[in-house]
Amino acid sequence: MTGGPSSPTAGIPAVHSGPGSAGVAGVVERPRLVELVRRGLRGPFTLVTAPAGYGKSVLVRAWEAEDRPSGVVHTRLTEAPSSAAYFWAMAIEEMRRAGVDLQRDGATGAGDRSGPRTLARVAERIRAHGRPLVWVLDCGEHSLPRAVTDGLDRLMSLSGGALHLVLTTRIDPLLPLHRYRLDDAITEIRAADLAFSADETSALMQQAGLALAPRDVDKLRTRTGGWPAGLRFAAMSLAGRADIEHAIDAFRGDTDNVAEYLMSEVLATQPAAVRELLLRTCVVDELQPGVVEALTGDHCDARVLRFLAHGNSFIEPVQGSDDRYHYQPLFREFLRSQLAFERPALVPELHRAAAEWYAQHGQLPSAISHAALGEDWAMAARFVVNGFCYASELSRRQPTPLPTVLAHLPADLEVPEAGVTRALFALRELDADRAASELALAGKLLERDGRHLPQPCALAVVVLDAVVAGLGEDPEAGLTAAVAAESALHLQPVHDPVAHAELAAIVAGCKARMLLQLGRFGPAHDVLAAGVKAAHAQDLDGAVAELQGLAALVNAMAGNLREALGVVRRLVTTADGAGNGLVCSSRAAALAFAWVRLDEYELTAAHDLLRCAEELAPSYDAKVLHQVETLLKARLLAAQDELDLARAELQAVLPGQFDAPVRAWLDRSLLADLAALLMAQGDAEGALATLGDIGGCDHIECSLAVRRAWLAAGSGAEVAMPSRPAQSRADPLAVRVGSWLARAMSELHDGDAAAAQGCLESALHLAAPEHLRRPFLEAPDEIRQLLDRGKLAAGHRWLQVRVPAARAGSASSAAPEPGEHRQPRESDVAAGQAPIVIPLTKKEQEVLGYLAELLTTEEIASTMFVSVNTVRSHVRSILRKLGVTRRNEAVRRAWELRLLPSPNAA
């Protein structure tokens, strides 16, 4: 094994196996293997069998160096035995030299030395030897004929435990191994045992002057399968290389010394039939009887593969399987290179044969891969479409190997399935225009061929059309496409329940997103419930999570905050269970959670959840969720008094102008929020211009926004209030609450305070079950004063948001847990430190600190680098939120609420 000075592995550490070799330069000790040999010598037979280069002979020498046994018989075959008589003559001579008394035995004469009487006499002499005899029989690259193995079996049986045979071989001997196993009379040491462990690999590399990181050791073991000779060749290849990771990736079985070794020691030693089988089957990664038959044209069953695995063929069993095997990685690379060299025209033919077999047996990823390797692109695309692989591809957020496998799919291949596959890859990149173009081509080719629903390719075109339409600007057109896909799916026979459920989930998501954009929350909820049911029935956990997240978002936007919260708490968790870091399984779920927290006015939690949503990769719901995310970001910024940033967020997602009146509810909501920001900044005319894009909309929220803009502009024109506030559950809860608040404002404007208070009570009654705080905390000052005068806030404790103590001039605040609803502390209320209803923004907290330091308005403006008017605006907001009328009262109130440190604190 170690080779002479001119051997390919000269200078690389040998692979010895025990401490008996300690002190010898370049030795890797493997005591676990020596112990296996030791254990085997307690019985009659130890079989050490593995392909070339696994260190079988070295192991036996290491055991001898460790235990130093006396009188060991060594027989090494340098050539195949020409006859049983020749073998036994050689063996008996070796035993005689080791001290067995065979000199005067007539059985050692010129007669038949392999006959029963001779073996019986040899067994008798072994029993009379006085001590157990260890016979090491090293077969090298040769196999033992049946006549020899029959004699070995007889000799072990007759020796009565006095003989311990240690047989090293590349091929399992023709011995009754099954019987030995039943009798517990054999110890087997095979390739899996001889393969290097991580520690042994690291030690070998270190002795070759290579200090490998643990990840590089693992990668090297994967590349070589722990094959000792392969690791020695790897050490040669890595020597002097700066980029070890790249060098390991580049180390292959089809180059230089490795290929030469595998050719001479393995492939060249195989019979012609086995050699042909190895070359034909190396194109697949895993050997199964059926695929071997497809590739060779010959019968194959598990016994054939088991026989090959026990020969010098580097075929290893797949763990946990009785009939599946794979090639050692380097040997597989070598075989593929040899096949391409010897018979290049056969390679694509074998790949196509493998593809057909895998497709027939439902192993579509392998079928597609081999069709691509065989450059049969039409076949590969047909498997993608007819096997519904596009469904699972659409359902996954994470990248899959399919785009890489089909990276060279010709752009000019004019078959419908190719068009669908190219459209699928365009959708993975969210390129709706390119996808639409490919689907149009596929549709024309289907029409030319007369292929219609429920033909699988026609169904694929309709489903992908729905996904493409969902990325467009027209939700009505997207809804029409989704309904068409839904109808087509109902016509499709259910041959594959899992694929059918995947498609149902995809179509449900498309339809629900369009309904959400249109503000039709009830139908969207029903569609998603049906999609979840179908996906759950087939254990499609990813699809279930996506649809449940979207359903939670629909509920949150509709105002069903408690129901949404129950779902998202399962889908958005903390990384360590202690509230540190968020883990989101669905972007829609994270946005739903953020919507709930923002409506509850838990601003820090909403901020954290929006950041969590940003980290998730966009998918086919990108347009809808981006609009929702923008709406939430703008509202959060506005709540923090960052009005310019909030307006920039909304303007970035809205077009400069609309070609027609805006009909989509989500677009109208974005415009209404933009108008509200403009009004908050004193630009009522701009707000009216923005709302003009909405056109003749009869939506209650839009009517209220227009009325507020007219009033803010001081125009004499009036926009009539609806005859009664919105009561339909089809309207979002925030709209229904807002309509009552708008009615209260109208009644106050008309001087009827009692009627206004009645409207406010109706709004509170609606919002209380869901803890919907935002409409009240962002209501005009008149509503806030009405809450205080009528003592309504005291009767609705859920409105209160506790603000923790902070240092002067600091906006720091304890972050709430995303899943936790905070209530005021009873001790605060009992001590007269009632929590405030509306939390201060960061800038308001900073201004409050300067007020406590008795700075003037001008001094605060200079310190903060803002205008005097901005400071005055902040002061007015602080007075309103703290329920006071003077600056010194605001400071005292802040001390009571622990918003500022007490002046008496030492």
Side-chain angles (χ1 to χ4, degrees):
M1 283 291 297
T2 57
S6 61
S7 74
T9 56
I12 302 301
V15 184
H16 290 235
S17 307
S21 301
V24 180
V27 168
V28 175
E29 299 176 355
R30 308 180 73 194
R32 64 181 180 89
L33 295 181
V34 171
E35 182 57 33
L36 284 177
V37 176
R38 237 183 242 129
R39 191 183 310 160
L41 292 175
R42 297 169 191 161
F45 185 30
T46 300
L47 175 63
V48 186
T49 177
Y54 269 93
K56 302 177 291 295
S57 301
V58 172
L59 169 59
V60 175
R61 290 200 298 272
W63 161 71
E64 291 191 69
E66 170 77 12
D67 288 5
R68 304 189 182 279
S70 60
V72 176
V73 177
H74 290 93
T75 303
R76 176 175 177 79
L77 301 184
T78 57
E79 59 183 5
S82 57
S83 67
Y86 172 80
F87 171 84
W88 285 110
M90 177 176 58
I92 289 171
E93 179 61 21
E94 294 288 354
M95 292 180 190
R96 187 189 63 77
R97 291 177 182 174
V100 179
D101 186 13
L102 294 171
Q103 294 179 355
R104 294 181 301 278
D105 196 320
T108 64
D112 181 5
R113 298 186 178 183
S114 63
R117 287 193 306 165
T118 298
L119 294 178
R121 294 293 294 159
V122 171
E124 178 185 348
R125 292 299 185 183
I126 291 174
R127 292 196 304 271
H129 185 51
R131 62 177 182 274
L133 180 69
V134 178
W135 181 16
V136 176
L137 175 55
D138 187 347
C139 297
E141 65 185 69
H142 308 290
S143 58
L144 297 173
R146 170 70 71 178
V148 171
T149 57
D150 286 347
L152 289 174
D153 180 46
R154 175 179 293 274
L155 184 61
M156 285 189 287
S157 176
L158 295 174
S159 295
L163 173 65
H164 301 289
L165 175 62
V166 179
L167 177 63
T168 66
T169 178
R170 297 181 182 181
I171 301 172
D172 274 16
L174 300 174
L175 287 166
L177 302 182
H178 61 283
R179 194 184 73 208
Y180 298 162
R181 293 175 187 130
L182 285 174
D183 294 340
D184 196 23
I186 183 173
T187 295
E188 297 177 74
I189 302 175
R190 294 187 173 273
D193 305 301
L194 295 165
F196 265 43
S197 67
D199 289 342
E200 291 164 348
T201 301
S202 180
L204 178 64
M205 294 300 118
Q206 286 176 4
Q207 293 199 12
L210 299 166
L212 268 58
R215 67 176 182 277
D216 292 330
V217 170
D218 290 340
K219 182 182 288 189
L220 188 57
R221 288 182 67 235
T222 300
R223 293 287 297 122
T224 62
W227 178 39
L231 288 169
R232 295 180 63 204
F233 284 124
M236 295 174 59
S237 177
L238 301 182
R241 301 288 290 273
D243 189 343
I244 292 294
E245 186 174 2
H246 177 74
I248 293 173
D249 290 335
F251 179 66
R252 297 177 54 83
D254 53 5
T255 57
D256 302 330
N257 293 325
V258 182
E260 293 177 18
Y261 185 92
L262 292 172
M263 171 60 81
S264 62
E265 297 293 331
V266 184
L267 190 60
T269 67
Q270 303 295 337
V274 173
R275 187 182 193 279
E276 179 72 4
L277 183 147
L278 296 177
L279 288 173
R280 281 182 166 270
T281 58
C282 69
V283 297
V284 297
D285 292 334
E286 211 170 80
L287 301 180
Q288 303 173 60
V291 75
V292 172
E293 283 191 8
L295 293 171
T296 63
D298 297 327
H299 170 72
C300 179
D301 58 22
R303 291 175 300 174
V304 173
L305 295 179
R306 190 159 50 246
F307 172 79
L308 290 172
H310 291 166
N312 185 35
S313 58
F314 281 85
I315 294 177
E316 304 164 351
V318 174
Q319 289 187 350
S321 172
D322 293 331
D323 64 348
R324 292 160 54 212
Y325 295 80
H326 62 82
Y327 285 108
Q328 194 270 355
L330 297 177
F331 189 56
R332 181 174 60 236
E333 291 171 350
F334 162 72
L335 287 175
R336 289 176 179 177
S337 174
Q338 193 65 24
L339 174 65
F341 173 74
E342 292 182 10
R343 301 155 78 180
L346 182 60
V347 176
E349 178 184 327
L350 291 172
H351 280 301
R352 288 192 289 269
E356 292 285 6
W357 186 88
Y358 283 124
Q360 292 168 9
H361 291 80
Q363 300 181 45
L364 288 171
S366 295
I368 294 167
S369 176
H370 282 284
L373 290 170
E375 297 187 345
D376 193 331
W377 301 109
M379 176 192 286
R382 186 174 75 248
F383 292 154
V384 170
V385 174
N386 293 357
F388 299 102
C389 293
Y390 67 93
S392 55
E393 185 74 12
L394 285 171
S395 299
R396 294 172 183 157
R397 281 189 176 273
Q398 299 303 319
T400 69
L402 192 58
T404 302
V405 170
L406 297 181
H408 299 293
L409 178 68
D412 57 353
L413 180 61
E414 291 198 355
V415 295
E417 292 84 359
V420 169
T421 303
R422 290 191 295 263
L424 174 67
F425 296 157
L427 280 173
R428 289 292 292 179
E429 300 172 6
L430 301 182
D431 188 342
D433 291 338
R434 182 158 60 93
S437 175
E438 292 289 358
L439 290 173
L441 171 63
K444 289 179 181 178
L445 294 172
L446 286 171
E447 187 175 351
R448 181 197 66 186
D449 298 341
R451 296 159 65 184
H452 306 288
L453 290 170
Q455 204 273 342
C457 192
L459 175 66
V461 170
V462 176
V463 170
L464 266 64
D465 269 333
V467 178
V468 171
L471 292 170
E473 300 297 329
D474 187 349
E476 293 283 2
L479 181 59
T480 300
V483 170
E486 190 177 51
S487 300
L489 190 58
H490 286 317
L491 295 174
Q492 182 71 25
V494 184
H495 299 304
D496 185 340
V498 174
H500 196 273
E502 285 179 323
L503 291 174
I506 292 166
V507 172
C510 291
K511 187 176 180 181
R513 286 191 288 272
M514 297 304 99
L515 290 169
L516 182 152
Q517 279 190 275
L518 295 169
R520 297 170 60 182
F521 300 115
H525 183 276
D526 294 342
V527 167
L528 289 168
V532 168
K533 182 178 179 181
H536 185 72
Q538 299 299 327
D539 296 323
L540 300 174
D541 295 339
V544 168
E546 287 294 327
L547 295 180
Q548 285 182 336
L550 193 54
L553 182 58
V554 168
N555 274 318
M557 296 172 74
N560 303 321
L561 305 184
R562 300 305 102 191
E563 186 175 347
L565 199 58
V567 174
V568 296
R569 277 179 171 161
R570 298 193 302 268
L571 301 176
V572 182
T573 58
T574 52
D576 59 4
N580 299 316
L582 294 173
V583 178
C584 310
S585 60
S586 159
R587 189 174 178 219
L591 292 176
F593 214 161
W595 191 289
V596 171
R597 289 307 182 217
L598 190 55
D599 271 0
E600 293 176 338
Y601 237 59
E602 297 281 3
L603 302 184
T604 304
H607 175 269
D608 291 344
L609 288 158
L610 283 172
R611 289 188 62 183
C612 178
E614 287 177 348
E615 294 171 359
L616 296 174
S619 186
Y620 314 109
D621 48 15
K623 180 181 182 296
V624 177
L625 296 190
H626 181 55
Q627 286 185 311
V628 172
E629 187 176 354
T630 299
L631 194 60
L632 289 171
K633 284 182 178 178
R635 289 177 177 177
L636 180 60
L637 289 167
Q640 295 169 336
D641 245 14
E642 300 284 359
L643 302 186
D644 288 336
L645 291 177
R647 189 175 68 181
E649 286 282 349
L650 293 172
Q651 289 172 333
V653 78
L654 288 166
Q657 61 181 15
F658 291 87
D659 297 331
V662 178
R663 311 305 300 173
W665 177 87
L666 195 49
D667 287 334
R668 291 197 302 261
S669 297
L670 291 164
L671 285 168
D673 273 43
L674 179 58
L677 286 170
L678 291 168
M679 285 188 284
Q681 293 181 306
D683 187 3
E685 295 294 338
L688 283 170
T690 297
L691 292 169
D693 287 327
I694 295 176
C697 176
D698 58 358
H699 194 285
I700 181 67
E701 188 174 34
C702 299
S703 300
L704 296 174
V706 172
R707 177 178 174 82
R708 287 194 294 268
W710 275 110
L711 291 174
S715 171
E718 285 288 337
V719 176
M721 285 293 297
S723 59
R724 60 179 297 180
Q727 298 291 338
S728 172
R729 290 192 63 82
D731 290 311
L733 178 62
V735 172
R736 286 181 277 146
V737 170
S739 69
W740 278 112
L741 294 178
R743 171 65 68 178
M745 281 293 295
S746 181
E747 297 294 355
L748 286 174
H749 186 265
D750 294 340
D752 192 342
Q757 182 163 328
C759 293
L760 182 54
E761 288 176 350
S762 296
L764 288 166
H765 176 74
L766 272 176
E770 302 294 344
H771 291 176
L772 176 62
R773 298 188 184 109
R774 189 173 60 83
F776 301 96
L777 303 188
E778 295 182 351
D781 289 349
E782 294 87 342
I783 296 296
R784 175 70 176 88
Q785 292 165 4
L786 187 60
L787 276 169
D788 290 341
R789 284 201 307 271
K791 301 187 183 302
L792 292 175
H796 289 273
R797 293 275 302 283
W798 59 271
L799 271 176
Q800 297 168 338
V801 179
R802 182 171 64 85
V803 180
R807 298 185 301 274
S810 169
S812 64
S813 171
E817 295 298 335
E820 175 187 346
H821 178 67
R822 301 186 305 187
Q823 291 288 358
R825 295 180 300 181
E826 295 293 338
S827 59
D828 288 344
V829 179
Q833 299 169 348
I836 63 174
V837 171
I838 307 177
L840 302 181
T841 66
K842 293 179 181 179
K843 290 186 177 179
E844 289 168 353
Q845 187 77 39
E846 185 178 357
V847 170
L848 182 60
Y850 292 134
L851 292 179
E853 296 174 10
L854 303 180
L855 270 64
T856 66
T857 300
E858 290 75 13
E859 289 171 333
I860 296 174
S862 176
T863 301
M864 296 179 64
F865 300 100
V866 296
S867 69
V868 170
N869 286 337
T870 299
V871 175
R872 287 173 178 161
S873 176
H874 286 317
V875 171
R876 286 196 299 270
S877 181
I878 291 169
L879 298 179
R880 176 176 62 85
K881 290 181 177 181
L882 296 182
V884 296
T885 58
R886 302 176 64 84
R887 294 186 178 201
N888 57 354
E889 293 174 352
V891 174
R892 284 196 297 273
R893 177 71 167 151
W895 287 336
E896 293 171 358
L897 294 172
R898 302 177 185 174
L899 298 176
L900 294 172
S902 170
N904 299 323

